[in-house]
Amino acid sequence: MLYNAVVNILGALIKMDANQSIRELIYKERLKNWQVANAIGIYPSTLSVWLRTELNDDRRERVEKALEQLINNK
């Protein structure tokens, strides 16, 4: 029982570290996840799912391009 709780907590912590630099940039630039999702052309819930694990190269490129566009158009 305790083992399962520890495994669940550790799993949640690992997921929080995934894409941390992207999460921090969104926060630093005072953007909302829905704005980034809109710029990519996906639903906000899809972006949330993407950010739970490390992005593959294609998704990372799409997110970074959207962030660049949003930051430059401020």
Side-chain angles (χ1 to χ4, degrees):
M1 184 88 140
L2 178 61
Y3 173 78
N4 290 339
V6 171
V7 168
N8 288 338
I9 291 170
L10 289 175
L13 289 174
I14 290 169
K15 287 180 183 177
M16 291 176 82
D17 286 342
N19 308 302
Q20 191 62 36
S21 61
I22 290 174
R23 294 172 184 271
E24 288 173 0
L25 183 59
I26 292 170
Y27 178 80
K28 178 182 154 222
E29 294 295 332
R30 298 177 184 222
L31 296 169
K32 303 294 183 198
N33 281 359
W34 66 264
Q35 292 172 304
V36 179
N38 242 12
I40 298 170
I42 60 175
Y43 290 106
S45 58
T46 301
L47 179 62
S48 178
V49 171
W50 283 11
L51 294 177
R52 290 181 194 162
T53 58
E54 279 303 318
L55 293 169
N56 63 34
D57 292 339
D58 177 56
R59 289 180 178 174
R60 177 172 295 283
E61 185 178 322
R62 291 172 68 185
V63 171
E64 289 174 348
K65 186 176 179 181
L67 285 169
E68 183 179 331
Q69 176 187 5
L70 289 168
I71 291 167
N72 289 337
N73 290 332
K74 272 187 159 180

